[in-house]
Amino acid sequence: MGKQNSPKSPPPPCIGKSLDNNQFSVKKCYSVWPTGLKNEGAYANFSKNIPNSRRQTTLSKHARLVIWTFGLVACFFLMDSLMLSIVHCMNLHNGLSQRKLNVSEDLNKHGKVGYPKEEKTSRVMYKRLLHMASMALSANHFEHDSSMLWEEPYQKAASAWRPCANKRIKKHQGRAANRTGFIVVSANGGLNQQRVAVCNAVAVASLLNATLVLPKFLYSSVWKDNSQFGDIYQEEYFVKVLRDDVSIVKELPSHLQSLNLEAIGSLVTDMDIMKESKPSDFVEKVLPLLLKNEVVHFLGFGNRLAFDPLPSDMQRLRCKCNFHALKFVLKIQEAGALLVKRIRKYDARSSLLDKQLLGKYMPDVPSRPHNSTRSLSKYIALHLRFEVDMVAYSMCEFGGGENERKELQAYREIHFPTLVMRMKATKLISSTKLRKLGRCPLTPEEAALLLSAIGYKRDTYIYLAGSHIYGEESRMLALTDLYPNLVTKDNLLTASELAPFKNFSSQLAALDFIACATADVFAMTDSGSQLSSLVTGYRTYYGAGGAPTLRPNKKRFAKILSENSTISWNDFKGRVTKMIEETQRVQVRRVGRSIYRQPRCPECMCKAS
């Protein structure tokens, strides 16, 4: 029994938990005893119950032991969960947070990666698949990279075809002495559209037995580049390679330079010559003008000449122009060689592709690596066709909600007024239906899923070609989180090395062309783009069966992605891999298909018997 004014006994200890740096610690806590009682009787009753209090203390000790045991078990579970989260979790469920790209020291010294510059909320459409892709990449981090990822699956069949468009063919006797006149071509569009126009002009000049004036390039408000033919291609080499096939001069004779070609009816526009016209159309419409006025000016001309039917010598000449005569000027070759050297890390992997595109700047193959403890770097070149013009014109939606719809509609009204008028006049196909039909451009997120499904590891180097991505950081985060070693020409070249190409988009596009064509693997998201088309053809022509290209079937890929909420990762991986392999089958060019993209045909390539 105690007296009223006796000191209070210390309260019993209890078990508590506090989280400190992700670790649990045990500490003592004390109950708060009453500072006063209502009456002495209450205090007396309390004192009489001390035996019961002892029993309660014993029970409390057991309770503390049980609580401590459960706390310890919970600690182990939580620590295990934290460790798994560190390895696997990319926090793709609630939007990917900004983080710096982990580019190797070899690439960092040449520039900084441009994605992402500041914290952005990621726009993702397939959170579940991205989470599974992240876990798969973490799981295979320490596995050896399969050599099959860097080889053509049908290498033997592909290597049976070899370049032969430059073989000499006897000209018709007397043709050179009876020239019909001069053809002037002003090519529109960007680098690759202009390239096609030049090759078509060479073929038409040969058809009409006319002299071709070195092509002119039109200034485009879209491309904003005033580069001319000689700023991109070697003029003397172009003339030399084609001299047995067509007569080429640098400019019109003086007596023709002052003529008003529009006034005399010698200005031929895209309205005068239908898209993909036959050779007979040029003979009927253009040849009389040549014979009458001595000169014809083609304004435009990107796709005016059909691929079929076409005489074999004209077909061969188009191939010869594209694959042999058009060689980039020295400053572009030199910068392109720097790109390739820095992403490969060594002056390695000399191939016929390197020789054709880099000329004297082709890297020498060392007898042994500079650092024998490190392996040579292979890289994928990825052409993401996800610029704002492509996105807006597609009429598709990409998960950006009402803000995205308003933004794209505003762009259409400025740049595609005809499309806007059609939207108002007719009922257009829904975005969902367009995606099912494979008409929507692939997003960077979808490109990341494609590469991870095929099996490329997280540390794979990816060269990103193309212009500014629509949505920029918010769209790129899904790709850069899965594949942090993503670089561009802006990262690989210094400011001084890029200075000669500043404000010349076509010359910058030529650097992308080189990096894509010489890559170990080329991956595209839209096979209809001119860059993807021409790079694919170039790799087919000079690749000797060792230049694989990844081209998704967008309709099939959309079907696979539509099962995002239920499909397993193994099923997704198997179906995507099968889709890609089927597009890599070796096939002869079919009638009507672009010879620049599919050069496997008798007029362009020879097949070993």
Side-chain angles (χ1 to χ4, degrees):
M1 301 292 181
K3 298 180 180 180
Q4 184 176 355
N5 295 325
S6 64
K8 298 183 179 73
S9 301
C14 65
I15 301 298
K17 293 180 289 183
S18 67
L19 188 62
D20 183 18
N21 295 330
N22 296 330
Q23 294 183 349
F24 283 104
S25 62
V26 181
K27 65 178 182 178
K28 290 185 178 181
C29 61
Y30 298 93
S31 303
V32 178
W33 284 68
T35 57
L37 299 174
K38 289 184 178 180
N39 53 58
E40 293 183 2
Y43 182 80
N45 292 335
F46 178 81
S47 300
K48 292 177 183 179
N49 290 329
I50 287 181
N52 292 334
S53 177
R54 290 175 179 173
R55 286 194 296 272
Q56 290 174 359
T57 301
T58 302
L59 292 174
S60 177
K61 289 181 180 180
H62 289 293
R64 289 199 302 271
L65 181 62
V66 172
I67 293 172
W68 187 88
T69 303
F70 276 106
L72 185 62
V73 172
C75 172
F76 282 121
F77 275 111
L78 183 58
M79 288 297 294
D80 183 62
S81 177
L82 288 173
M83 291 300 294
L84 287 175
S85 297
I86 291 173
V87 176
H88 297 298
C89 183
M90 302 293 293
N91 198 25
L92 289 169
H93 292 288
N94 298 314
L96 302 173
S97 61
Q98 182 271 346
R99 66 186 179 92
K100 295 181 180 178
L101 300 179
N102 181 28
V103 180
S104 70
E105 294 179 0
D106 298 288
L107 299 177
N108 273 339
K109 65 183 179 182
H110 299 298
K112 294 182 179 180
V113 176
Y115 297 104
K117 293 181 181 178
E118 57 187 44
E119 190 169 343
K120 294 279 185 178
T121 301
S122 177
R123 294 187 190 179
V124 296
M125 300 171 65
Y126 309 99
K127 292 182 180 180
R128 178 175 174 271
L129 277 175
L130 282 173
H131 180 65
M132 291 193 295
S134 177
M135 295 183 67
L137 291 179
S138 297
N140 70 4
H141 179 73
F142 297 104
E143 296 178 2
H144 290 292
D145 210 352
S146 172
S147 60
M148 297 299 294
L149 295 174
W150 305 96
E151 298 176 357
E152 290 196 49
Y154 306 99
Q155 186 176 22
K156 185 176 181 180
S159 61
W161 291 87
R162 57 183 177 83
C164 62
N166 62 336
K167 60 184 180 183
R168 298 176 66 90
I169 296 178
K170 292 182 179 180
K171 299 289 292 182
H172 295 292
Q173 296 296 325
R175 287 192 71 194
N178 298 313
R179 297 293 181 190
T180 55
F182 294 85
I183 289 180
V184 178
V185 173
S186 295
N188 55 0
L191 172 78
N192 300 293
Q193 291 86 349
Q194 291 168 344
R195 188 183 186 102
V196 171
V198 170
C199 296
N200 288 344
V202 167
V204 171
S206 176
L207 171 71
L208 302 179
N209 194 25
T211 296
L212 178 67
V213 180
L214 276 177
K216 308 293 183 183
F217 292 162
L218 294 173
Y219 178 84
S220 168
S221 60
V222 176
W223 292 93
K224 298 180 180 179
D225 186 352
N226 57 8
S227 297
Q228 287 302 314
F229 186 91
D231 298 317
I232 301 174
Y233 301 108
Q234 298 179 31
E235 292 181 346
E236 298 298 333
Y237 186 85
F238 178 75
V239 174
K240 178 182 177 181
V241 171
L242 297 173
R243 64 186 177 188
D244 292 332
D245 301 281
V246 62
S247 172
I248 303 175
V249 296
K250 289 190 176 182
E251 57 185 20
L252 282 172
S254 56
H255 72 282
L256 297 177
Q257 292 180 13
S258 59
L259 291 178
N260 186 333
L261 299 184
E262 185 176 7
I264 65 175
S266 283
L267 183 65
V268 181
T269 68
D270 287 351
M271 300 295 293
D272 302 310
I273 296 292
M274 294 178 58
K275 181 179 179 180
E276 297 188 0
S277 293
K278 300 177 182 179
S280 58
D281 295 327
F282 290 93
V283 173
E284 294 172 3
K285 297 178 181 180
V286 179
L287 183 58
L289 293 176
L290 272 176
L291 295 174
K292 177 184 177 182
N293 300 325
E294 295 185 65
V295 60
V296 165
H297 182 190
F298 288 107
L299 190 62
F301 205 62
N303 56 356
R304 298 299 106 182
L305 181 62
F307 288 107
D308 293 293
L310 208 68
S312 60
D313 59 336
M314 287 184 65
Q315 205 76 285
R316 180 196 63 83
L317 189 53
R318 290 208 291 193
C319 280
K320 184 175 181 179
C321 177
N322 182 49
F323 297 114
H324 294 274
L326 291 175
K327 186 162 287 191
F328 293 123
V329 294
L330 298 184
K331 72 171 185 177
I332 293 178
Q333 288 185 342
E334 183 178 16
L338 285 176
L339 282 177
V340 175
K341 176 181 177 180
R342 286 172 182 168
I343 197 169
R344 289 179 183 164
K345 296 192 179 69
Y346 301 102
D347 299 338
R349 188 185 172 273
S350 175
S351 68
L352 191 55
L353 278 166
D354 293 325
K355 181 179 179 180
Q356 289 298 320
L357 289 167
L358 304 178
K360 69 177 184 180
Y361 299 102
M362 180 177 64
D364 296 324
V365 179
S367 57
R368 58 180 297 176
H370 299 173
N371 184 345
S372 59
T373 63
R374 300 175 63 186
S375 60
L376 302 177
S377 288
K378 295 181 179 180
Y379 75 97
I380 297 173
L382 173 63
H383 183 214
L384 273 180
R385 191 69 172 93
F386 200 72
E387 298 88 354
V388 63
D389 60 333
M390 181 76 171
V391 173
Y393 197 82
S394 72
M395 302 297 295
C396 299
E397 295 182 5
F398 301 92
E402 187 62 24
N403 289 338
E404 178 185 276
R405 284 191 286 271
K406 290 180 178 179
E407 187 176 62
L408 294 178
Q409 183 61 21
Y411 185 91
R412 294 184 196 105
E413 291 175 357
I414 297 174
H415 298 279
F416 304 126
T418 304
L419 177 61
V420 173
M421 290 177 61
R422 193 165 72 244
M423 290 172 63
K424 294 178 180 178
T426 60
K427 183 179 180 180
L428 300 179
I429 303 176
S430 68
S431 176
T432 303
K433 184 66 177 296
L434 288 172
R435 192 171 300 281
K436 288 181 179 180
L437 294 173
R439 297 183 186 177
C440 295
L442 298 190
T443 66
E445 174 190 358
E446 291 168 332
L449 289 172
L450 182 77
L451 295 176
S452 58
I454 295 171
Y456 290 101
K457 298 172 67 174
R458 189 187 299 278
D459 58 359
T460 300
Y461 281 94
I462 299 177
Y463 178 89
L464 181 63
S467 188
H468 296 291
I469 302 301
Y470 173 67
E472 297 182 342
E473 291 90 344
S474 63
R475 285 291 180 190
M476 289 298 297
L477 281 173
L479 175 59
T480 55
D481 270 333
L482 290 185
Y483 292 99
N485 291 334
L486 184 143
V487 294
T488 68
K489 52 185 174 289
D490 298 309
N491 313 141
L492 295 169
L493 299 179
T494 65
S496 60
E497 290 166 344
L498 279 171
F501 310 101
K502 188 177 181 180
N503 299 325
F504 297 105
S505 60
S506 291
Q507 296 181 44
L508 290 171
L511 298 181
D512 277 340
F513 188 100
I514 290 174
C516 289
T518 60
D520 297 278
V521 173
F522 174 57
M524 68 183 77
T525 58
D526 181 53
S527 60
S529 76
Q530 285 284 15
L531 174 65
S532 294
S533 179
L534 291 174
V535 166
T536 298
Y538 219 89
R539 290 170 64 82
T540 297
Y541 192 78
Y542 286 115
T549 296
L550 309 180
R551 183 177 65 254
N553 181 317
K554 290 195 294 183
K555 184 175 181 179
R556 286 180 59 181
F557 194 38
K559 168 62 177 173
I560 299 172
L561 290 171
S562 69
E563 302 175 32
N564 167 53
S565 60
T566 58
I567 194 171
S568 69
W569 179 250
N570 285 337
D571 190 16
F572 179 78
K573 182 176 180 178
R575 289 168 66 180
V576 170
T577 301
K578 182 179 179 181
M579 173 192 69
I580 291 296
E581 287 182 355
E582 289 180 0
T583 63
Q584 292 178 309
R585 294 183 184 276
V586 177
Q587 297 178 340
V588 177
R589 185 185 75 91
R590 289 178 286 178
V591 174
R593 297 303 177 92
S594 170
I595 201 166
Y596 306 118
R597 174 178 163 181
Q598 299 180 357
R600 290 192 185 104
C601 62
E603 298 86 359
C604 207
M605 300 184 74
C606 300
K607 186 178 181 181
S609 56

